[in-house]
Amino acid sequence: MPTDILMDDLLPILDTTNAEEHHPLIIAGPCSAESEQQVLETARSLAKSGIKVFRAGIWKPRTRPGGFEGVGAVGLPWLRKVKEETGMLTSTEIATRQHAECALEAGVDILWIGARTSANPFAMQEIADVLAEHKFAGPVLVKNPVNPDLELWIGALQRLYNAGIRRLGAIHRGFSAYGPHIYRNPPQWHIALELRRRYPQLPIICDPSHIGGKRELIAPLSQQALDMGFDGLIIESHCNPDCAWSDKAQQVTPDSLELILSSLVYREQTGSTENLAMLRREIDRIDNEIIEVLNKRMRVCREIGRYKKEHSMPVVQARRYGDIMASRIDAAVRLHMGAEFMRTVFSAVHEESVRQQINILNGDDINE
Ligand code: PEP
Ligand code: MN
């Protein structure tokens, strides 16, 4: 068993003599197939705007029981109709041996592995085995696992590669995060870029719908992905998004999708100025993260403030402050940052925390 993917024999996701034609690759369609009418209506509009690959979830892995878990195999003939009527290739998510067998039997062209499945090596091996049994050579697209673990993502790809799949691709759909965020699944571009660095031949697609979780974020995230040299986009589009049975906030009509795609700047190559622009965008993202993390810290501080008020405790406890400073400076120095710099940062953070707690003691609380 090879210890790593060689990947120098990978093939493009789509078999085309004109590689330009499919770059970037755009996959679009509803989060879930709901009815034959919804699938066909959406597909017809997408085909009209030049989309070549249609997506629709037939089986939906839901975080909690009781949600809509997909129409199941009854939806597969609808995908076949899409292909016959529009000529688009079809794609769906598989998570089990049975899904894989049904999808292959129904002639689905492209399979993708969802984020909850790529995190599960047993499920991945089961899928790899069944695809090998059916001599399916791809394309298979693997979403990043829900947790930011590059090795797990690579492991999932590797199992498929070892099963003989050469039309292989990765999808960056962001990573689960606890607490309030701008994004539904915050992207970690550097993880996708590290995957690109290790396997330059592996196509990587971005899923702005599941990263953003909101319609408004699809265009900026798509542009960001293209600027970083992603090979394509997978975007959720529904003929009537407000009535969608799943992920309604992040789906757009085929008309809006056409508008979004026409507003994007498609760059041929990532030149040096674009590399610089890309790094600056990464800095912007990190700064936003710093603000979010500081906000989280202040929220906990205010909670402590309420506790101290209730128990008539003083706001500042000198020993605790000394411990915080020493441990943070120590950690920073180990990461090659200056002790003075860290002292400045943490005394400012502490000062703001104290200010917020004093506000609470003075009865000036925040409604959160
Ligand atoms: C999907 O693409 O509809 C889906 C369920 O995505 P993810 O696995 O990224 O949550
Ligand atoms: Mn979805």
Side-chain angles (χ1 to χ4, degrees):
M1 184 73 79
T3 54
D4 201 0
I5 320 177
L6 292 171
M7 291 216 171
D8 45 7
D9 56 350
L10 283 181
L11 298 169
I13 294 176
L14 297 187
D15 183 16
T16 167
T17 42
N18 181 3
E20 292 298 306
E21 197 187 320
H22 293 298
H23 198 85
L25 172 66
I26 308 289
I27 303 174
C31 176
S32 305
E34 299 164 7
S35 66
E36 180 169 333
Q37 195 254 337
Q38 167 252 6
V39 165
L40 284 169
E41 189 182 330
T42 309
R44 283 180 197 128
S45 307
L46 291 170
K48 240 187 255 159
S49 38
I51 303 293
K52 301 277 188 291
V53 185
F54 183 74
R55 64 149 283 158
I58 293 286
W59 299 279
K60 303 301 298 176
R62 304 320 297 250
T63 303
R64 301 259 212 125
F68 170 58
E69 295 190 330
V71 290
V74 291
L76 290 168
W78 309 339
L79 295 187
R80 196 186 275 279
K81 272 203 180 158
V82 165
K83 190 176 164 118
E84 283 164 5
E85 231 191 77
T86 68
M88 278 193 282
L89 297 177
T90 57
S91 63
T92 201
E93 172 173 346
I94 55 160
T96 65
R97 163 175 282 272
Q98 185 230 344
H99 296 165
E101 280 172 347
C102 291
L104 292 182
E105 199 185 319
V108 175
D109 302 287
I110 301 178
L111 305 175
W112 85 78
I113 311 293
R116 291 155 195 82
T117 308
S118 64
N120 179 345
F122 288 127
M124 282 312 306
Q125 194 56 54
E126 178 180 305
I127 290 168
D129 291 344
V130 63
L131 296 181
E133 282 162 31
H134 286 76
K135 302 205 172 7
F136 183 69
V140 183
L141 307 176
V142 182
K143 291 200 171 195
N144 62 254
V146 279
N147 52 324
D149 184 337
L150 178 58
E151 296 307 320
L152 199 55
W153 195 3
I154 292 174
L157 288 156
Q158 194 173 359
R159 287 174 200 277
L160 296 170
Y161 180 87
N162 291 349
I165 289 158
R166 293 296 178 268
R167 293 194 193 279
L168 205 51
I171 301 177
H172 178 34
R173 51 75 81 192
F175 298 91
S176 294
Y178 182 70
H181 271 277
I182 301 164
Y183 302 111
R184 177 178 175 193
N185 293 294
Q188 297 213 27
W189 301 109
H190 62 284
I191 295 183
L193 295 176
E194 174 60 14
L195 183 65
R196 152 88 12 112
R197 193 187 65 76
R198 290 209 218 167
Y199 305 105
Q201 306 90 327
L202 179 73
I204 309 182
I205 288 172
C206 176
D207 177 346
S209 310
H210 289 91
I211 291 178
K214 301 180 197 72
R215 282 165 209 159
E216 319 77 87
L217 291 177
I218 292 176
L221 283 165
S222 298
Q223 187 64 60
Q224 214 170 340
L226 293 183
D227 292 348
M228 288 190 207
F230 275 67
D231 301 285
L233 302 166
I234 176 165
I235 302 180
E236 287 188 340
S237 177
H238 188 292
C239 54
N240 187 1
D242 288 331
C243 296
W245 296 1
S246 59
D247 289 353
K248 62 168 102 173
Q250 69 193 37
Q251 302 207 60
V252 290
T253 61
D255 281 350
S256 312
L257 179 68
E258 194 174 348
L259 209 66
I260 292 171
L261 294 177
S262 67
S263 75
L264 299 176
V265 181
Y266 299 86
R267 304 177 213 276
E268 277 310 305
Q269 278 219 319
T270 313
S272 57
T273 52
E274 270 150 36
N275 278 335
L276 183 62
M278 183 187 98
L279 290 170
R280 286 186 174 145
R281 272 190 291 277
E282 187 66 355
I283 289 287
D284 292 347
R285 182 191 67 78
I286 293 170
D287 285 350
N288 279 332
E289 257 177 40
I290 292 175
I291 295 169
E292 278 185 10
V293 168
L294 284 172
N295 178 40
K296 251 188 226 164
R297 190 188 197 278
M298 292 306 156
R299 196 171 310 133
V300 175
C301 284
R302 290 194 291 274
E303 201 49 50
I304 295 176
R306 288 177 202 115
Y307 182 91
K308 286 176 178 167
K309 183 178 184 186
E310 226 177 282
H311 296 82
S312 307
M313 289 164 72
V315 163
V316 181
Q317 271 119 13
R319 219 179 99 214
R320 165 85 182 136
Y321 179 59
D323 290 350
I324 287 184
M325 268 313 185
S327 68
R328 297 342 178 232
I329 289 173
D330 194 43
V333 169
R334 269 186 271 122
L335 293 170
H336 311 289
M337 285 182 279
E340 248 345 282
F341 160 67
M342 211 30 72
R343 197 185 313 280
T344 311
V345 168
F346 268 94
S347 55
V349 168
H350 186 259
E351 204 174 299
E352 176 63 11
S353 307
V354 169
R355 189 187 70 81
Q356 297 218 9
Q357 291 194 0
I358 287 176
N359 282 349
I360 286 173
L361 283 190
N362 292 338
D364 187 11
D365 204 345
I366 287 170
N367 199 2
E368 54 195 346

